[in-house]
Amino acid sequence: MESNVQFLTFIALLVCVPVANGWGIDGHLIICRIAQPRLSEAAADAVSQLLPDFAGGDLGSVCSWADRVKFRYHWSSALHYIDTPDDLCTYQYNRDCKDEDGIQDRCVAGAIKNYTNQLLSYRDHDAASQYNLTEALLFLSHFMGDIHQPLHVGFTSDRGGNTIDVHWYTRKAVLHHIWDDNIIETAEERFYDSSVDELVDTLQKNITSVWSNQAKAWAACTTTACPDAYASEGIKAACDWAYKGVSEGSVLEDEYFLSRKRVVNLRLAQGGVRLAATLNRIFG
């Protein structure tokens, strides 16, 4: 893993850098904490080998790394989201997976496919040597989270809700940030004693109880990774829940929060289950 030496030095400098992109820090942490206990023995071993030492074996602790490196890896910014045509509420890979310059495959679905393919070389030493598989693991884990945030598959004109100014109760915010952070943070404060661990525990219990039958279907995929299906779900959730009833200057309070909290919890749970299933398929 010689190619990882420079990366480990670089990433160590970023651990304490604050970030508020994608899902917020808690959202990505939750997805990776849901995923890690669901890994097969082979996948858990591979993840352990690829994680940087300072992560202490905890994938969740580095699941926001991909947001922190945008200032250095400028090329990666377009890989966190998908812009879809306004108001169509549909996603098509060939139409939508491109960056602002029209370069194909540069979107979060394309990134998931790319880093999945890189990680498939893990057991082929000669092939793996051309990639930094630690970075590939962290990018894949992060992007599997991003694609489950509904406004990361949002409308082109408002940049996934980033240009829609609203109020979250009494505070000014943009709609995208509400889905990244505010719904999760408000839920933690109101229902989980301000503890992200309690929220993770609740979601894990729901996955094995009220969502147990659904969770089996969430994990299913006929290939190694199925980001196009997740993106199609995302734009539907964006239209049905994130954008619905919201306009410039809207004040979003309990009616919006309590109904949308269920959607956020579901997408976090799906993201965690699917990240684990994808890593299990990659590492056999």
Side-chain angles (χ1 to χ4, degrees), residues 170-244:
T170 59
R171 291 180 293 170
K172 291 181 178 179
V174 297
L175 183 63
H176 188 99
H177 188 268
I178 285 169
W179 283 78
D180 277 349
D181 290 285
N182 295 124
I183 294 174
I184 293 173
E185 290 172 354
T186 302
E188 289 172 351
E189 292 167 4
R190 193 176 296 188
F191 301 112
Y192 303 102
D193 198 27
S194 296
S195 170
V196 66
D197 292 332
E198 287 193 18
L199 176 52
V200 171
D201 288 344
T202 297
L203 294 177
Q204 292 279 35
K205 290 174 183 175
N206 286 344
I207 289 167
T208 58
S209 56
V210 296
W211 290 329
S212 59
N213 291 332
Q214 297 175 59
K216 294 177 182 177
W218 297 343
C221 178
T222 57
T223 57
T224 309
C226 289
D228 292 334
Y230 314 152
S232 292
E233 292 173 352
I235 185 58
K236 186 176 189 304
C239 288
D240 290 350
W241 297 102
Y243 286 119
K244 191 171 184 179

Side-chain angles (χ1 to χ4, degrees), residues 79-82 91 93 97 105-120 136 138-148 153 221 223-231 271 274-275 278-279 281-282:
L79 304 183
H80 291 254
Y81 61 89
I82 300 166
Y91 158 79
Y93 186 90
C97 190
D105 304 317
R106 284 183 44 77
C107 78
V108 66
I112 288 170
K113 293 177 182 181
N114 175 45
Y115 290 111
T116 294
N117 288 334
Q118 289 190 24
L119 288 167
L120 285 169
L138 300 194
F139 273 129
L140 176 63
S141 299
H142 184 91
F143 293 146
M144 283 291 289
D146 279 348
I147 204 167
H148 282 84
V153 193
C221 178
T223 57
T224 309
C226 289
D228 292 334
Y230 314 152
R274 287 163 170 170
L275 173 58
T278 301
L279 292 172
R281 287 188 291 267
I282 287 170

Side-chain angles (χ1 to χ4, degrees), residues 33-34 54-55 172 208 229 255:
R33 290 271 170 86
I34 289 171
F54 62 80
K172 291 181 178 179
T208 58
E255 181 179 356

Side-chain angles (χ1 to χ4, degrees), residues 14 43 62 99 173 211 231:
L14 296 169
V62 286
D99 64 17
W211 290 329

